[in-house]
Amino acid sequence: MSAETSSAGVGPVEGVSLYDVDNPAPVIEPPRKRTSKTPRTTRTNFELYGWLFMRLSGIVLVVLVLGHLLIQLVLDGGVSKIGFAFVAGRWASPFWQAWDLIMLWLAMLHGANGLRTVINDYAEKPKTRFWLKNLLYTATVFTVLLGTLVIFTFDPNIR
Amino acid sequence: MATPTLDKAEKSGKGAPEPGFADSPYIKVTFRIRRFNPEVSEDAQWQDFELEIDPKERVLDALHKIKWDQDGTLTFRRSCAHGICGSDAMRINGKNRLACKTLIKDINPHKPITVEAIKGLTVLKDLIVDMDPFFQAYRDVMPFLITKGNEPTRERLQSAEDRERFDDTTKCILCAACTSSCPVFWNDGQYFGPAAIVNAHRFIFDSRDEGGEQRLEILNDKDGVWRCRTTFNCTDACPRGIEVTKAIQEVKRALITRRY
Ligand code: HEM
Ligand code: SF4
Ligand code: FES
């Protein structure tokens, strides 16, 4: 065996280690590590309310979402029954309007806050965080407003 | 050399016991250790060490044997060797444990035993990580008695029940096994992490302390208790058997009941 191929723990360049005592390799630092410069408390209850909201909206969503799925997909012939007439018939009643409105708002805010948590967990750079959250909030506001508009302005006689 | 390892090795004649002998306590165990040395390479790599060892010995004894007899460059922290200083938390067979409290027989010695540094902190060499961010979070929850008014002339007395309230969280040895097992901490080191919350709990629920409100305020922030996702990794990891997730949950409850 030649000397070049047998030396242990060598770097990639021609059998000579790239690193030594005076020139150590870079270590891999964990994302966003805490230092003494980490900002101190902001004194708001936002995260507390967010946490509570996830649990409270979750409880209500169990009823709303499971009920919704049952009515739309299981009872009365399943999906095949859903059409313009079915939707028009249901939204004629304020009860189902309220059901769908509450479900829309709760599910969207619940899902958006959940994704905010996911972004906080996984986005490492402040810029990435900023843009992902912007995208998330824009999409959420758009969907919530559009859905609300449709529920309130739905016209069964449109043709 | 106070370790019992060496005495036993002498008695039975070093290296002599054969694997087939039923009366020999020694078995052959492979330790697969994740090595990193920035002075040699930027890549970490697994290295296997084989040794004859009594399975009633601990993983720390095996690391000592390797360092003393096979490869002196193997680097790890340990001090007390009896589960009290908290310096030798490491990831053994994928689980955070103290090497000095883990018996080899308890972790299936018939397969290679993997040993690596705890996760979520910068690896400096082999099994040694940079603990600064961990202790920074500890400092940030003010882990000391805070009182108002004049100092009393005698001991601050406390009933047995009041002492019992935070007994569990007094047991922490700051080994970082919990914090470095937490997936939220792995992804975002800004999270205070379980150990800091445990040590805040220690004072928040101490009847003699008057800084609880301040500590609750600190943990109410975006990097505080609300980031906990109740995965229970911390409770599983704690070598002191502290119910870490429960302590975090109690701090959450204190924050909510304080408001309503
Ligand atoms: C069916 C009833 C539901 C219940 C009981 C429920 C409950 C919860 C709870 C308690 C959390 C917080 C978990 C934590 O903090 O560790 C959560 C997170 C989340 N939820 Fe829901 N939820 C429900 C429906 C939904 C729906 C319909 C959506 C989508 C619109 C959704 C999307 C999310 C997301 C994205 C998260 C964050 C995931 C994470 O933290 O890893 N959930 N849910
Ligand atoms: S709570 Fe347990 S695992 Fe966490 S630092 Fe303290 S002793 Fe170690
Ligand atoms: S060496 Fe002190 S806790 Fe293990």
mmCIF file of all heavy atoms in Angstrom, chain B residues 60 77-89 98-101 173, ligand 3:
data_model
loop_
_atom_site.group_PDB
_atom_site.id
_atom_site.type_symbol
_atom_site.label_atom_id
_atom_site.label_comp_id
_atom_site.label_asym_id
_atom_site.label_seq_id
_atom_site.Cartn_x
_atom_site.Cartn_y
_atom_site.Cartn_z
ATOM 1 N N LEU B 60 -19.852 3.710 30.780
ATOM 2 C CA LEU B 60 -18.704 4.566 31.119
ATOM 3 C C LEU B 60 -17.430 3.738 31.316
ATOM 4 O O LEU B 60 -16.346 4.149 30.895
ATOM 5 C CB LEU B 60 -19.003 5.385 32.382
ATOM 6 C CG LEU B 60 -17.905 6.361 32.797
ATOM 7 C CD1 LEU B 60 -17.711 7.453 31.754
ATOM 8 C CD2 LEU B 60 -18.202 6.983 34.157
ATOM 9 N N ARG B 77 -16.740 13.661 28.383
ATOM 10 C CA ARG B 77 -16.736 14.280 29.707
ATOM 11 C C ARG B 77 -17.230 13.281 30.729
ATOM 12 O O ARG B 77 -18.176 12.537 30.467
ATOM 13 C CB ARG B 77 -17.693 15.472 29.754
ATOM 14 C CG ARG B 77 -17.209 16.723 29.078
ATOM 15 C CD ARG B 77 -18.086 17.897 29.523
ATOM 16 N NE ARG B 77 -17.708 19.106 28.803
ATOM 17 C CZ ARG B 77 -18.419 19.595 27.789
ATOM 18 N NH1 ARG B 77 -19.522 19.015 27.391
ATOM 19 N NH2 ARG B 77 -18.005 20.681 27.172
ATOM 20 N N ARG B 78 -16.635 13.269 31.895
ATOM 21 C CA ARG B 78 -17.191 12.592 33.053
ATOM 22 C C ARG B 78 -16.472 13.142 34.262
ATOM 23 O O ARG B 78 -15.337 13.593 34.169
ATOM 24 C CB ARG B 78 -17.050 11.084 32.955
ATOM 25 C CG ARG B 78 -15.634 10.549 33.124
ATOM 26 C CD ARG B 78 -15.439 10.079 34.538
ATOM 27 N NE ARG B 78 -14.172 9.423 34.721
ATOM 28 C CZ ARG B 78 -13.029 10.051 34.917
ATOM 29 N NH1 ARG B 78 -12.997 11.389 34.894
ATOM 30 N NH2 ARG B 78 -11.911 9.381 35.111
ATOM 31 N N SER B 79 -17.183 13.143 35.377
ATOM 32 C CA SER B 79 -16.506 13.616 36.568
ATOM 33 C C SER B 79 -16.776 12.686 37.726
ATOM 34 O O SER B 79 -15.914 11.943 38.162
ATOM 35 C CB SER B 79 -16.960 15.036 36.888
ATOM 36 O OG SER B 79 -16.312 15.509 38.021
ATOM 37 N N CYS B 80 -18.024 12.667 38.218
ATOM 38 C CA CYS B 80 -18.307 11.889 39.423
ATOM 39 C C CYS B 80 -18.336 10.382 39.149
ATOM 40 O O CYS B 80 -18.012 9.589 40.009
ATOM 41 C CB CYS B 80 -19.631 12.324 40.018
ATOM 42 S SG CYS B 80 -21.051 11.871 38.999
ATOM 43 N N ALA B 81 -18.761 9.992 37.966
ATOM 44 C CA ALA B 81 -18.945 8.588 37.587
ATOM 45 C C ALA B 81 -20.050 7.904 38.375
ATOM 46 O O ALA B 81 -20.141 6.681 38.384
ATOM 47 C CB ALA B 81 -17.644 7.795 37.687
ATOM 48 N N HIS B 82 -20.871 8.673 39.085
ATOM 49 C CA HIS B 82 -21.951 8.063 39.866
ATOM 50 C C HIS B 82 -23.270 8.807 39.743
ATOM 51 O O HIS B 82 -24.013 8.938 40.718
ATOM 52 C CB HIS B 82 -21.538 7.937 41.327
ATOM 53 C CG HIS B 82 -20.457 6.914 41.518
ATOM 54 N ND1 HIS B 82 -19.134 7.214 41.382
ATOM 55 C CD2 HIS B 82 -20.514 5.595 41.778
ATOM 56 C CE1 HIS B 82 -18.421 6.121 41.561
ATOM 57 N NE2 HIS B 82 -19.223 5.121 41.808
ATOM 58 N N GLY B 83 -23.507 9.364 38.576
ATOM 59 C CA GLY B 83 -24.833 9.899 38.290
ATOM 60 C C GLY B 83 -25.210 11.144 39.052
ATOM 61 O O GLY B 83 -26.392 11.373 39.298
ATOM 62 N N ILE B 84 -24.236 11.968 39.437
ATOM 63 C CA ILE B 84 -24.621 13.132 40.219
ATOM 64 C C ILE B 84 -24.091 14.452 39.657
ATOM 65 O O ILE B 84 -24.639 15.513 39.914
ATOM 66 C CB ILE B 84 -24.210 12.942 41.709
ATOM 67 C CG1 ILE B 84 -25.242 13.579 42.625
ATOM 68 C CG2 ILE B 84 -22.830 13.458 41.989
ATOM 69 C CD1 ILE B 84 -26.620 12.975 42.530
ATOM 70 N N CYS B 85 -23.044 14.399 38.827
ATOM 71 C CA CYS B 85 -22.490 15.661 38.320
ATOM 72 C C CYS B 85 -23.145 16.071 37.010
ATOM 73 O O CYS B 85 -23.116 17.239 36.634
ATOM 74 C CB CYS B 85 -20.982 15.543 38.131
ATOM 75 S SG CYS B 85 -20.504 14.487 36.749
ATOM 76 N N GLY B 86 -23.719 15.122 36.302
ATOM 77 C CA GLY B 86 -24.429 15.456 35.072
ATOM 78 C C GLY B 86 -23.540 15.752 33.885
ATOM 79 O O GLY B 86 -23.952 16.421 32.954
ATOM 80 N N SER B 87 -22.315 15.249 33.887
ATOM 81 C CA SER B 87 -21.434 15.617 32.774
ATOM 82 C C SER B 87 -21.383 14.588 31.651
ATOM 83 O O SER B 87 -20.877 14.894 30.582
ATOM 84 C CB SER B 87 -20.021 15.893 33.288
ATOM 85 O OG SER B 87 -19.538 14.793 34.015
ATOM 86 N N ASP B 88 -21.889 13.372 31.865
ATOM 87 C CA ASP B 88 -21.697 12.372 30.815
ATOM 88 C C ASP B 88 -23.001 11.917 30.148
ATOM 89 O O ASP B 88 -23.147 10.753 29.793
ATOM 90 C CB ASP B 88 -20.905 11.162 31.332
ATOM 91 C CG ASP B 88 -21.648 10.402 32.426
ATOM 92 O OD1 ASP B 88 -22.576 10.994 33.013
ATOM 93 O OD2 ASP B 88 -21.306 9.241 32.675
ATOM 94 N N ALA B 89 -23.913 12.867 29.934
ATOM 95 C CA ALA B 89 -25.087 12.528 29.135
ATOM 96 C C ALA B 89 -24.639 12.296 27.697
ATOM 97 O O ALA B 89 -23.869 13.082 27.155
ATOM 98 C CB ALA B 89 -26.113 13.659 29.191
ATOM 99 N N LEU B 98 -27.145 8.705 30.898
ATOM 100 C CA LEU B 98 -25.838 8.928 31.499
ATOM 101 C C LEU B 98 -25.032 7.653 31.309
ATOM 102 O O LEU B 98 -25.483 6.574 31.679
ATOM 103 C CB LEU B 98 -25.975 9.225 32.996
ATOM 104 C CG LEU B 98 -26.698 10.507 33.398
ATOM 105 C CD1 LEU B 98 -26.754 10.609 34.921
ATOM 106 C CD2 LEU B 98 -26.005 11.725 32.820
ATOM 107 N N ALA B 99 -23.827 7.780 30.749
ATOM 108 C CA ALA B 99 -22.999 6.595 30.539
ATOM 109 C C ALA B 99 -22.702 5.908 31.860
ATOM 110 O O ALA B 99 -22.555 4.688 31.930
ATOM 111 C CB ALA B 99 -21.706 6.987 29.835
ATOM 112 N N CYS B 100 -22.635 6.697 32.956
ATOM 113 C CA CYS B 100 -22.271 6.131 34.253
ATOM 114 C C CYS B 100 -23.441 5.453 34.950
ATOM 115 O O CYS B 100 -23.283 4.888 36.027
ATOM 116 C CB CYS B 100 -21.685 7.208 35.158
ATOM 117 S SG CYS B 100 -22.852 8.509 35.558
ATOM 118 N N LYS B 101 -24.643 5.550 34.378
ATOM 119 C CA LYS B 101 -25.780 4.871 35.003
ATOM 120 C C LYS B 101 -26.397 3.829 34.077
ATOM 121 O O LYS B 101 -27.467 3.318 34.348
ATOM 122 C CB LYS B 101 -26.864 5.900 35.388
ATOM 123 C CG LYS B 101 -26.563 6.625 36.692
ATOM 124 C CD LYS B 101 -27.692 7.548 37.085
ATOM 125 C CE LYS B 101 -28.873 6.829 37.719
ATOM 126 N NZ LYS B 101 -29.872 7.775 38.265
ATOM 127 N N ILE B 173 -29.875 17.531 37.722
ATOM 128 C CA ILE B 173 -28.413 17.651 37.783
ATOM 129 C C ILE B 173 -27.859 18.377 36.556
ATOM 130 O O ILE B 173 -26.662 18.341 36.289
ATOM 131 C CB ILE B 173 -27.757 16.262 37.917
ATOM 132 C CG1 ILE B 173 -28.201 15.339 36.772
ATOM 133 C CG2 ILE B 173 -28.070 15.642 39.260
ATOM 134 C CD1 ILE B 173 -27.465 14.007 36.725
HETATM 135 S S1 FES C 3 -20.061 11.147 35.425
HETATM 136 FE FE1 FES C 3 -21.198 12.422 36.789
HETATM 137 S S2 FES C 3 -23.234 12.014 36.146
HETATM 138 FE FE2 FES C 3 -22.142 10.528 35.035
#
